[in-house]
Amino acid sequence: MKAAVLRAVGTPMQVEDVTLDPLAHGQVLVRTAAAGVCHSDLHFIDGAWPARLPMVLGHEAAGVVEAVGDGVTYVEPGDHVVLLFVAFCGACESCQSGRPNLCQTGRLSAGTMQIDGKATAPFAGLSAFSEQMIVPENGVGKIRKDMPLDRAALIGCGVMTGVGAAINTAKVAAGSTCAVIGTGGVGLNVIQGCVLAGAEKIIAVDMRANKLEMARQFGATHVVDASREDAVARVRDLTGGGADYAFEAIGLPAAITQAFDMVKRGGEAIVVGMAPFGSEVTVSATAFLDEKVLRGCFYGSTRPRVDMPRLVDLYMAGKLKLDELVSARHPLSGINDAFAAMKNGEVARGVIVFE
Ligand SMILES: NC(=O)c1ccc[n+]([C@@H]2O[C@H](COP(=O)([O-])OP(=O)(O)OC[C@H]3O[C@@H](n4cnc5c(N)ncnc54)[C@H](O)[C@@H]3O)[C@@H](O)[C@H]2O)c1
Ligand SMILES: [Zn+2]
Ligand SMILES: [Zn+2]
């Protein structure tokens, strides 16, 4: 099968033939229908995060089940699924305490891939930039068949992460004020999560006019161009002293500090962006006397079998914007163009669509 292989940091991926090891007990073989282009993949391409290369990236996908291994009961061939970049075991302490996004064992049971005759563990447990994937049974979320798969793919990371950051992680309260720094594929979904939660003011902060325009389309009530004004001062002004919640959705330590500085006494800053591996952030220690909270967010605190079908239903009911999120569709051979478009800030989300 064909897959886009990253061989060295900072170089284009190459579409090559790779093979999957045979399907084992408890695993599911999925034919990839579509895979979204997320900035998290770009962190590994750029070397901001380390990866063992060669590797096939991609972690935001949807597809159709082709075969199941012994013991699989949750899905059968023909089922449509969203891929989870964190499979859950259901049994560990995190899973048992209602936090399956922090599962401590899930990834171990993913299938391996042969690249250059060497067994390679899939990226994020799936390696979605390939025609097929082998994942554990608990690494897929079954969805209704009338849901378009190219838009379902986005639920696999960006939509779940963004909407989940607002609804699950922050538990945004109706009538509250929110700021979102970075309005790309993830930030736009934080905005629509804040809309779903009933936030009164949603202030989008970005450096690009086209992104701020998209932010308005997704429900931002105010926009701040951080290339022209002091975003912290502007948000504090617009909210009369600070927002209830501020989300960082870039992956920049300085923006994390800004998010913390934007919230009011008792407010909460939620870090969604993936800052460079090993980087650190500085915040005012004095501000903790204001009971400010600095909180991490991984995968929108997803509970996949609760949240994924809900997001699909919200889209089908016209309450979640996914059509507007897909700015461009590319074949697998166009994958490097898709990443260039994201890097240049041209798109909300690009999607690789498989034949
Ligand atoms: N926590 C998680 O589970 C999780 C999941 C998915 C993605 N992420 C991370 O979220 C971040 C965003 O991902 P994405 O796919 O939306 O990326 P993206 O490239 O689509 O969006 C980033 C946005 O930030 C804006 N930006 C860049 N520098 C800025 C600055 N200094 N001030 C204001 N805006 C600025 C860009 O213009 C762009 O609109 C990445 O770091 C990604 O790795 C985290
Ligand atoms: Zn992602
Ligand atoms: Zn677990």
Side-chain angles (χ1 to χ4, degrees), residues 128-149:
F129 297 144
S130 58
E131 291 176 326
Q132 293 176 309
M133 300 166 280
I134 291 183
V135 296
E137 177 177 19
N138 286 351
V140 295
K142 201 170 10 181
I143 55 167
R144 44 196 272 199
K145 288 189 178 166
D146 54 349
M147 174 70 191
L149 285 168

Side-chain angles (χ1 to χ4, degrees), residues 15 30 53 57 79 135 140 154 166 194 204 210 222 226 249 274 288:
V15 177
V30 178
L53 302 179
L57 297 172
D79 280 345
V135 296
V140 295
L154 306 181
C194 294
N210 65 327
H222 300 74
M274 206 169 139
F288 288 110

Side-chain angles (χ1 to χ4, degrees), residues 39-40 43 157 184-186 206 211 249-250 272 274 297 299 349:
H39 208 117
S40 299
H43 292 317
C157 178
V186 173
D206 205 288
K211 292 300 174 83
I250 307 168
V272 188
M274 206 169 139
C297 171
Y299 209 169
R349 249 319 184 242

Side-chain angles (χ1 to χ4, degrees), residues 2 33 36 66 139 172 222 251 292 328 332 338:
K2 299 282 183 211
E66 276 203 336
V172 165
H222 300 74
K292 284 196 189 185
L332 185 60

Side-chain angles (χ1 to χ4, degrees), residues 1-5 16-20 56 113-116 130:
M1 64 162 187
K2 299 282 183 211
V5 181
E16 301 176 15
D17 282 309
V18 302
T19 54
L20 285 173
V56 176
M113 185 181 268
Q114 297 287 331
I115 306 178
D116 301 338
S130 58

Side-chain angles (χ1 to χ4, degrees), residues 49 66 91 127 135 158 188 236 241 256 259 350 353:
W49 275 70
E66 276 203 336
S127 283
V135 296
L188 291 171
R236 294 189 71 89
I256 296 171
V353 179

Side-chain angles (χ1 to χ4, degrees), residues 150-167:
D150 58 348
R151 276 142 282 173
L154 306 181
I155 292 177
C157 178
V159 177
M160 184 66 252
T161 298
V163 175
I167 288 181

